Amino acid sequence: MELQQLRYVVAIAETTSFTRAAERCLVVQSALSHQVARLERELGARLFDRTSRRVRLTPAGEAFLPAARQCLDAAERAAAEVAAAVGEVRGRLAVGLIPTVTAADVPATLREFHDRFPQVRISLRVGASDDLIEQVRDGTLDVAFLGLPTTARPRGVAVHELARGHLIAVVAPDHPLAGEATVGLRRLASEVFVDLPAGTAGRAQSDQAFAAAGLDREVAYEVTSADYVPRLVGPGLGVAMLPSGYAPQLTGVVTIEITDAPARVEYVIWAETNPTPAATAFVELLGIDAGTG
């Protein structure tokens, strides 16, 4: 079994196509197909069901794929550690973030990192804070930027607090509250809300604040990304609460300070033990000692 064969299997699984997998791996399709067929003979099982429309993993392929990815990750990590031993940063840097992070300029930092370490393969994933924490813990991500209620702190990862802030109200331009300088949670509780899904860290900031005030509210519209909130608030379908640092990016809506606003904390996290050389270099580029998280 060869690493190249494992790369081919992973590429086919991710693209569901031998043709696209060959293009990704920069190899002719016949060579890729030959190597996969050879691996299947060695394993004594078919890894893929091939049809005219798409390629699917067989049950054997489903069982094989996670181990194949782990082998490739281990090989890449080993090469990165050797490079680090001679003063080079290589390998991969997988970064995750929530859309409302404002305490760090992630695109600018990635640009600077790429300029300094061009041999590192960078990827970015946007998601929910809870999911990002789990992905850093299991090694899927190297670094992640989060926003959490003040009552929560990431566990099982190295943590550095970036900033503290609060939420503001977001309403339509013609909403009765649009002309107000401030508003309280009690007044907002009578409104229909646009918010993130129940159970997420982003939603918890608001839920905990209303619960602490002894108030109930109606969340009629749940969205998975804060980017979509203004598209529902602007036409007057509901109101929302978003981080104050995120407000300058909003258009077509009006923002209002909340007198008893929920607080939040933004963090950057990375592997608690043995972070990759690329992760260490990225965290240190933020001005953080990667060994003190």
Side-chain angles (χ1 to χ4, degrees):
M1 188 181 304
E2 301 171 4
L3 285 177
Q4 194 66 270
Q5 292 172 323
L6 302 183
R7 292 191 182 94
Y8 294 163
V9 169
V10 171
I12 296 167
E14 291 178 349
T15 63
T16 68
S17 165
F18 276 68
T19 301
R20 290 193 295 271
E23 292 171 353
R24 177 191 290 189
C25 296
L26 303 177
V27 64
V28 296
Q29 183 176 333
S30 59
L32 179 142
S33 298
H34 173 75
Q35 288 296 326
V36 171
R38 197 178 86 176
L39 176 61
E40 289 176 324
R41 288 195 299 272
E42 181 180 338
L43 295 172
R46 286 188 304 108
L47 300 177
F48 299 100
D49 280 329
R50 303 158 176 81
T51 68
S52 58
R53 299 183 61 183
R54 62 180 302 182
V55 177
R56 297 177 184 271
L57 285 164
T58 64
E62 293 281 2
F64 183 79
L65 186 61
R69 285 194 170 117
Q70 290 173 5
C71 287
L72 291 174
D73 289 344
E76 184 174 44
R77 177 63 184 268
E81 293 291 353
V82 170
V86 295
E88 297 181 11
V89 179
R90 297 184 181 181
R92 70 149 203 190
L93 176 71
V95 178
L97 81 164
I98 60 171
T100 54
V101 164
T102 57
D105 188 339
V106 178
T109 306
L110 288 174
R111 175 73 257 181
E112 183 177 356
F113 183 88
H114 174 71
D115 290 343
R116 290 195 186 188
F117 310 109
Q119 296 187 75
V120 176
R121 188 178 73 257
I122 300 172
S123 64
L124 180 68
R125 179 177 301 176
V126 177
S129 291
D130 293 334
D131 294 336
L132 297 178
I133 294 170
E134 182 60 32
Q135 289 164 19
V136 170
R137 278 200 293 254
D138 68 21
T140 304
L141 293 175
D142 299 302
V143 180
F145 295 86
L146 321 169
L148 297 175
T150 55
T151 56
R153 184 176 174 85
R155 303 296 179 188
V157 293
V159 182
H160 180 83
E161 182 178 315
L162 293 171
R164 290 182 174 245
H166 62 280
L167 303 187
I168 57 171
V170 184
V171 303
D174 59 353
H175 192 281
L177 289 172
E180 301 293 327
T182 62
V183 65
L185 290 178
R186 183 167 296 280
R187 171 64 181 85
L188 287 172
S190 64
E191 299 287 335
V192 173
F193 270 81
V194 180
D195 211 331
L196 298 172
T200 62
R203 172 73 171 268
Q205 299 164 31
S206 302
D207 285 348
Q208 290 176 8
F210 281 103
L215 300 170
D216 294 321
R217 64 170 180 151
E218 178 188 357
V219 179
Y221 304 94
E222 290 190 345
V223 297
T224 57
S225 174
D227 298 341
Y228 203 77
V229 169
R231 298 183 63 181
L232 295 172
V233 171
L237 292 172
V239 304
M241 296 197 302
L242 290 172
S244 57
Y246 188 67
Q249 303 180 44
L250 303 175
T251 59
V253 294
V254 174
T255 59
I256 311 167
E257 289 291 330
I258 304 173
T259 54
D260 45 354
R264 75 193 291 264
V265 185
E266 290 189 10
Y267 298 99
V268 60
I269 64 172
W270 61 97
E272 190 169 37
T273 58
N274 197 26
T276 66
T280 299
F282 183 79
V283 170
E284 291 178 349
L285 191 58
L286 294 169
I288 302 166
D289 182 351
T292 63

